[in-house]
Amino acid sequence: MSVVIETPRSRKRPGFNLEKYGWMYMRLSGVLLVILIFGHLFANLMVGEGIHAINFAFVAGKWASPFWQVWDVTMLVLALIHGTNGMRTLVNDYAEVEWIRRTLVWLLWIVCATLIVIGILALTTFTPCGDASSISLLGKDGANVAALCPVK
Ligand code: HEM
């Protein structure tokens, strides 16, 4: 019995093709993530004292800069949508029961949206300046952080 293989690139349905744009998103975000992730690792682990410089004050200093806020928000949003869309592909491939597949895909996007909202809130509203008692919890970093904060 002969098998007819569908012509590659043939369109089954006219109109907006979500799978095509999802496929393109994975490639495009992959290229951007290489730059963002390796830039992030380079800045945190290789510049200056490298990994030894990482502490609360280091992160507070980075997040005081609009450049790193934009960098980190972009990395967060692109990576979460990339990872979620990749997991959606895996679920579509392996979940055999339709209601389980639909539930898992919904759960994936709900978790993704929640993490994006929490992450953006953390990145944009973060302040190292708590009250004196919370700054004292930072131990020796407390002095550096207190120096960044307005006098109360
Ligand atoms: C250097 C950064 C990255 C690059 C270049 C990259 C690239 C890619 C590409 C091209 C695909 C599509 C593969 C295919 O369709 O066969 C893919 C799939 C996927 N990516 Fe990434 N990715 C990166 C980072 C990440 C991160 C940070 C996550 C998690 C948050 C992630 C999770 C996934 C998942 C779950 C899939 C689906 C796997 C599959 O289809 O077998 N990736 N990635």
Side-chain angles (χ1 to χ4, degrees):
M1 193 182 83
S2 68
V3 175
V4 179
I5 298 174
E6 203 181 325
T7 316
R9 295 173 186 273
S10 71
R11 303 275 312 251
K12 286 198 184 117
R13 280 173 295 167
F16 184 76
N17 186 342
L18 186 65
E19 288 304 329
K20 178 176 102 179
Y21 292 108
W23 186 93
M24 285 166 65
Y25 176 83
M26 294 306 275
R27 269 86 196 149
L28 269 174
S29 60
V31 172
L32 292 174
L33 282 170
V34 171
I35 299 165
L36 291 167
I37 292 173
F38 284 98
H40 167 84
L41 292 174
F42 180 74
N44 285 9
L45 304 180
M46 296 178 77
V47 175
E49 289 171 60
I51 194 168
H52 303 291
I54 295 183
N55 54 22
F56 184 89
F58 176 86
V59 179
K62 263 185 107 185
W63 285 359
S65 144
F67 175 84
W68 286 115
Q69 280 185 321
V70 171
W71 187 288
D72 285 357
V73 166
T74 312
M75 192 164 63
L76 173 86
V77 173
L78 286 180
L80 272 169
I81 295 176
H82 176 104
T84 305
N85 195 45
M87 284 306 296
R88 182 188 66 89
T89 309
L90 294 180
V91 167
N92 283 345
D93 279 349
Y94 289 103
E96 291 179 2
V97 181
E98 178 58 12
W99 73 266
I100 295 180
R101 187 195 69 78
R102 285 177 80 87
T103 309
L104 289 175
V105 171
W106 268 102
L107 279 176
L108 278 171
W109 288 117
I110 289 169
V111 171
C112 174
T114 308
L115 291 177
I116 286 178
V117 170
I118 294 174
I120 290 179
L121 277 176
L123 262 154
T124 51
T125 63
F126 173 80
T127 167
C129 307
D131 55 22
S133 63
S134 64
I135 287 181
S136 72
L137 291 175
L138 296 172
K140 67 179 170 56
D141 294 334
N144 300 338
V145 173
L148 292 171
C149 302
V151 182
K152 289 221 173 104

